[in-house]
Every structure is written in structure tokens, then in C-alpha cells.
Amino acid sequence: MNRRDFLSRYGKAGLLSLTIPRRLTATSAAPTFRLVDVTQHAGIQFQHNSGAYGGKLLPETLGSGCAFLDYDADGWQDILLTNGMEWPGHKRQRSTLRLYKNNRNGTFADVTKAAGLDVEMYGMGVAVGDYNNDGFPDILVTCVGQNRLFRNTGKGTFLDVTRASGLSARQAFSTSALWFDYDRDGLLDLFVCNYVRWSPEHDVFCSLDGKHKSFCTPEAYRGDTCWLFHNRGDGTFEDVTATSGIFDSSSKSLGVAMLDYDQDGWPDLLVANDTQPNKLYKNLRNGKFKDVAVEAGLAFSTEGKARAGMGVDAADFENSGKPGIAITNFDNEMIGLYRAASPGTYDDISIAAGVGLPSKNTLGFGCSFLDLDLDGALDLAVANGHIEETVRNIHGNVGYAQPPQLFLNLGAGKFQDVTANVDGGFAEPKVGRGLAYGDFDRDGDLDILLTTNNGPAYLYRNDQLAGNRSVRFRLVGAKSNRDAIGAIVRIFYNGQSQSRMVKGGSSYLSQSELPVTFGLGKRDKIERMQIEWPSGAKEEFKDLAAGQSYQCTENKGITPMAGF
């Protein structure tokens, strides 16, 4: 790769007319919450190991992911952090993923070894789901090489069942993944993103000066197909990639989100591709999918170009009852923010909404819609960071480490970047990658977990400053999959409504908690709540109190839970 190509992707240094926009913070009031860095107090002592030794191998710059999960089913969110390892021939230290058990007092205990997860692998992402419906979440770790499936024994330990499950037949450079029940048979199936066809033996030499190696752009490698595995219900999976319509060897996939874009009750998938068109896989309800991203307006930018899609999330950020979409991209490409327009189509509203220009000079990875201030409107959190350390030497670039961003939802389709106004250290520049949310302290608001490349992980506690309240729901499927992944929850009050989907995946290499949270502002209750279960069953409950968490079991009613 020559210098012109490098600058085109990494710096755009020649575009002297480009104006770096200021953060849009001066015209709005300070946020009614703060994010406090509690990483050290919580006992999260983690350092991502990319294995970098100077060889500039492609996977080194892309990890790592994270997840909130309740692995021991005690009602408190635990934390999992994926990790890389040393490359063969360059052994310096041993590094594994980390599982932190929630001590229920604001601190966590490292239980990795006791849980049987003290295993070396070049991990990238994580997907959490109860694939055998036994009440305990299982873990899929995507890797460079062999992905690993760990079955939860329900006794605080995990067993590596990769080979026994039938998932060991394929190896690749896997990235994000998610569990979802695409055929609605009550069993979670598995979707895995793969990036490019790469191995250490076939690494391509790219250089700025012809002498020193740099990270290559994706164009230097052939793409690879995503995988779809159907759950047989006996602990094994069938590879249905080719027969399902998912197969596409041109994809270079980094992020995946589930949504019901056409609102037919069947889960669809949106895949973010790097320098290739994004994919929107419409569920045809017969075990097959069809890519409709071009027709839906999601495949390309508004200029008709394939962008460098990294992370992705889908949620009802306008309270319209329809899922909107966010896709993070490379610097000088902006975040894509999409509003549902006519049935089955989307409009990119990023610039008009106030998200486009503030993200023009950032490189986004993880992203999530979540109601940070509990006002009833979903905000957007984004992890930023460049992929090439030498980018700091390019004139006009914002740097290798970049501040994450928080876009506060102002309503009426408008967002404001309030990062600089949020106390607690959140705005410090980082080489951000994974991002997930979960209420780890059970106080009713959503906290943020953020990972960095070859650096530490960060846990930010959300502290409400205005007294806004929420209501939370944990769903348990019966005929549906036990995690109720794919369920739609709607609440109604004072002529208004909100909706959430219970979902795995989304963001980048990461997964947020499965319980759903609705911000209510100062309201004391909601008039009613509706659930559309993945099985097709529908239930409704009335007069539910704010400041409360509920467990909803399919066809067995609703039960208040102690605290949140």
C-alpha cells in the first residue's frame, strides 16, 4: 500500500478544506446524569493483549469485545472480557479472557480459573445465550482460528463443547456473533461474522515507505462469508450457511444486529461490512434469508459508496414503534443514523439529526442505543479509536486514542454530542473497541462497559442527578427460547409509547444485558405493558409501578422482583 492509499484511508491529510467540527455542547443544558469511572474500585484489573510484537498482523488492531451476563443466574450482571494471546514464536506472557462475578456491593471477583475459562485463545468477540434452555447462559467466543463454545453447567463452571457441538469443523477470522431463534422453534441458533481470509502464514506486506510494515486495508485480502448454525436441540448444530441464503464470500463483516425491520414477527439481521456493502438479511420465514440492503437503503452511503462499517445497533430511538439503526464507520465517513421511512426502507438522517458532523473525524467501533438519562428517549453511545498508531503523525488527524461519544436524544429526531459535559472521566481519549451496557449495581439505570485495544477495560457507573425513574423487565420464555431473545416489549402511558427488543449481539464484538429498561422521567407508573413473544403469543399487563423490576414468564404472568 502506497502513501496515497494510506492517507486516503487513515488521514485524509490532503483535504485542507476539511473543518473539524466542535462538539455541540454550548446550546444545551448539562446532562442530568454522570458516568463515573469505577473500574479500579470494582476490581476490574484487565489488560487486553493483542500479541503485537512489531509484525503489524491484521487481527492485532481489531480486538477486543465484552459482555454483561448473569452467568450464575443470581439476578446480578457479571462481566466477561475477551482477550488475545501471543503469536507463535513470540511467547512473552500468558493471557486469557476474564470472567468477573458480581459481588452485589459494587465490586467484582475474578472467577476465570474457578469457572474453567482460564484457556488461551486469540479471542475477538463474545455472544451470550442459553442455547440448551437450562436457565444458565452459555458463551460463544469468536476467535482468530477456532471459535470456542462454553456450556454453562449451572454450577459456576463452564465446559468447552466446541467439538461435541459440531462447531469445530470451520475456522476463520471471526468477529461479532449473536444468538437468535430464526425459525422460532424455541431454540437459539447462532450467527457468526467473519472478516477476511487471513492467517499468519498469508499475511500481506503493506508499507508507507516500502521498508516498514503497516496495517493493510481490507482491500488487501479476500472477503469471507458469515456462518449460520441451526440448533438441532440435542446439543449440536447444523451448518446451514449455504442453504439459508447467508453465504456470501465477498463480505468483510465486523458487526451484526438483530431487528424486525418489516415488523412481521420474524427476526432479521443487519450486518456491517468493512469496505463492502452492508447486508440486511430478511427472514423469509421458511429457513431462508434474502439480502435486501440495497432496496432498504442500508447497503451504501448516501453517495452510493460502501463505507467501512464497524459496529451496529438497532432500536426504536424515535418511539415510533419501528427500529432505527446506527452504523459506525471509518474517519471521514461519519456514523450512519437511519430512520425507518416507508415500509421496508430507511433514510440516513445522521447530519440532520446532529450525529453526522461530530463523528466526521472519529473512527467508531462499538455503539449502543440506551436511555442514559431515563427520560424515555434512547440515546447513543459510541466507542472510538483509530487502528494505526502512526496516524497521530498525520497533520490534521484527531489521533490514535479518541474520546468516546455520547449523543443525547433531544426528541424530534435530534441528538446532541454531550460527551464533554459528562463528568467522571468518560471523555478521556481511548483506543476504544467494544461497548456494552447493563445495570450492574441494580439501581435502575444503565452502566457502560468499554474495552480498548491492547489496553484496559473501563466500567462506568451511571449516576442520575435529576431523580428520573425507570421500569425494568426480565423475560423468561417457555414455548419461546428461555432467554426470550426476539421478544418485543412495549409500554404505554399518557398517550405515549416506547418499545424494546430482547436481543443478543449488536455493538461491536460485544453483548449488553438481556433485561430491558424503560426510562420514565418523573412518572410513577405505566398504564400498560405488552409482550410479543418469539412464539407468537401476546400478553398484556396493566398499572405497573415505576422504580421497579419485574420478571415476566411466558404464559405464567408477571412478578415484581426485589429492588431492581
Side-chain angles (χ1 to χ4, degrees):
M1 179 174 60
N2 59 38
R3 182 171 179 82
R4 182 181 63 183
D5 293 337
F6 181 85
L7 292 177
S8 175
R9 181 165 173 84
Y10 293 156
K12 304 286 186 182
L15 300 182
L16 298 179
S17 61
L18 178 65
T19 300
I20 300 176
R22 294 180 299 169
R23 296 196 181 280
L24 306 179
T25 56
T27 60
S28 68
T32 59
F33 65 96
R34 63 176 179 171
L35 295 175
V36 181
D37 184 351
V38 296
T39 312
Q40 294 304 314
H41 172 76
I44 306 297
Q45 298 178 346
F46 175 81
Q47 179 77 18
H48 174 242
N49 178 20
S50 70
Y53 63 91
K56 299 269 185 166
L57 302 184
L58 186 61
E60 294 171 358
T61 192
L62 293 175
S64 63
C66 59
F68 278 110
L69 74 164
D70 184 7
Y71 88 96
D72 51 1
D74 67 349
W76 293 76
Q77 292 296 314
D78 311 299
I79 286 173
L80 188 141
L81 301 166
T82 65
N83 209 347
M85 61 180 290
E86 305 292 342
W87 296 111
H90 297 274
K91 191 72 174 179
R92 295 169 298 180
Q93 60 179 315
R94 190 174 189 275
S95 53
T96 71
L97 58 75
R98 285 288 182 265
L99 177 65
Y100 292 94
K101 175 180 170 59
N102 195 324
N103 293 328
R104 312 183 195 182
N105 61 1
T107 69
F108 292 78
D110 186 340
V111 296
T112 310
K113 188 172 183 178
L117 295 174
D118 188 30
V119 181
E120 277 198 300
M121 66 194 91
Y122 201 101
M124 294 294 295
V126 57
V128 180
D130 184 5
Y131 76 87
N132 57 0
N133 287 333
D134 67 351
F136 293 92
D138 310 297
I139 297 170
L140 185 282
V141 180
T142 62
C143 298
V144 177
Q146 179 63 66
N147 298 331
R148 308 290 282 271
L149 177 62
F150 297 95
R151 179 173 61 81
N152 193 329
T153 67
K155 301 176 182 178
T157 60
F158 291 83
L159 294 177
D160 187 338
V161 294
T162 309
R163 182 175 296 275
S165 66
L167 296 181
S168 62
R170 282 181 174 264
Q171 296 190 23
F173 182 172
S174 298
T175 52
S176 296
L178 60 75
W179 297 95
F180 75 134
D181 184 6
Y182 75 86
D183 54 357
R184 303 201 327 186
D185 65 352
L187 299 167
L188 289 177
D189 310 300
L190 178 63
F191 184 90
V192 179
C193 292
N194 293 310
Y195 191 35
V196 295
R197 298 189 182 185
W198 179 92
S199 67
E201 298 77 21
H202 297 92
D203 186 61
V204 176
F205 182 87
C206 296
S207 176
L208 295 176
D209 55 12
K211 298 179 181 179
H212 302 94
K213 194 173 188 297
S214 63
F215 289 115
C216 294
T217 67
E219 290 91 341
Y221 297 95
R222 294 173 60 191
D224 203 355
T225 184
C226 298
W227 297 330
L228 179 62
F229 297 96
H230 178 252
N231 190 335
R232 292 190 178 106
D234 60 359
T236 68
F237 294 84
E238 176 188 6
D239 186 344
V240 296
T241 305
T243 59
S244 64
I246 293 295
F247 183 85
D248 179 2
S249 59
S250 68
S251 288
K252 299 177 181 180
S253 304
L254 289 174
V256 58
M258 65 177 295
L259 72 165
D260 184 6
Y261 91 100
D262 52 1
Q263 298 188 292
D264 65 351
W266 292 74
D268 311 300
L269 293 178
L270 178 59
V271 178
N273 279 322
D274 189 359
T275 71
Q276 292 292 313
N278 299 320
K279 303 291 183 180
L280 176 59
Y281 289 113
K282 173 182 171 64
N283 193 328
L284 300 181
R285 300 183 282 184
N286 59 0
K288 298 182 183 299
F289 292 80
K290 179 183 178 182
D291 176 22
V292 296
V294 173
E295 301 94 301
L298 297 170
F300 304 98
S301 70
T302 54
E303 294 81 22
K305 298 180 179 179
R307 291 190 278 191
M310 308 291 186
V312 57
D313 197 13
D316 181 12
F317 66 80
E318 290 189 307
N319 290 336
S320 65
K322 301 175 182 179
I325 292 165
I327 302 176
T328 56
N329 296 295
F330 218 81
D331 61 354
N332 290 286
E333 290 183 340
M334 300 190 296
I335 294 171
L337 183 68
Y338 298 89
R339 164 193 290 157
S342 58
T345 65
Y346 285 86
D347 293 331
D348 189 340
I349 61 168
S350 59
I351 294 179
V355 170
L357 291 180
S359 64
K360 179 78 173 179
N361 291 288
T362 60
L363 198 167
F365 278 92
C367 62
S368 290
F369 288 109
L370 68 162
D371 188 356
L372 282 162
D373 53 2
L374 301 181
D375 67 347
L378 289 172
D379 312 303
L380 179 62
V382 181
N384 295 318
H386 222 286
I387 67 168
E388 174 59 66
E389 188 172 7
T390 56
V391 75
R392 64 165 62 99
N393 299 324
I394 299 174
H395 175 71
N397 202 287
V398 293
Y400 182 49
Q402 302 175 4
Q405 287 174 297
L406 294 179
F407 294 97
L408 203 63
N409 192 332
L410 306 179
K414 301 293 184 181
F415 288 79
Q416 183 150 1
D417 183 356
V418 298
T419 312
N421 292 346
V422 176
D423 298 329
F426 184 80
E428 292 298 316
K430 306 170 184 66
V431 186
R433 293 295 185 262
L435 185 146
Y437 61 81
D439 183 11
F440 82 86
D441 52 359
R442 291 192 12 174
D443 64 351
D445 57 23
L446 295 172
D447 312 298
I448 289 179
L449 181 64
L450 188 151
T451 62
T452 64
N453 180 253
N454 217 34
Y458 295 88
L459 179 63
Y460 292 96
R461 188 188 66 221
N462 188 345
D463 290 344
Q464 296 298 308
L465 305 177
N468 285 351
R469 311 178 75 186
S470 68
V471 60
R472 286 168 51 83
F473 300 99
R474 176 179 181 266
L475 273 59
V476 179
K479 185 178 179 181
S480 303
N481 67 85
R482 189 178 177 99
D483 284 335
I485 289 176
I488 303 291
V489 183
R490 293 185 172 88
I491 65 169
F492 302 86
Y493 51 89
N494 300 334
Q496 302 177 56
S497 65
Q498 299 181 45
S499 68
R500 304 279 189 273
M501 172 182 273
V502 180
K503 60 187 180 183
S506 297
S507 192
Y508 171 76
L509 306 180
S510 302
Q511 179 164 326
S512 296
E513 66 172 9
L514 292 179
V516 295
T517 299
F518 294 90
L520 299 176
K522 301 296 193 300
R523 296 177 183 85
D524 294 325
K525 69 174 185 176
I526 57 174
E527 295 164 10
R528 57 193 175 99
M529 181 270 279
Q530 294 179 344
I531 304 175
E532 296 178 14
W533 295 93
S535 66
K538 297 182 180 180
E539 295 186 83
E540 180 171 300
F541 305 97
K542 297 182 178 180
D543 295 324
L544 301 178
Q548 180 66 60
S549 183
Y550 296 89
Q551 177 166 305
C552 310
T553 304
E554 188 174 13
N555 297 322
K556 291 187 178 179
I558 187 168
T559 305
M561 300 172 66
F564 274 102

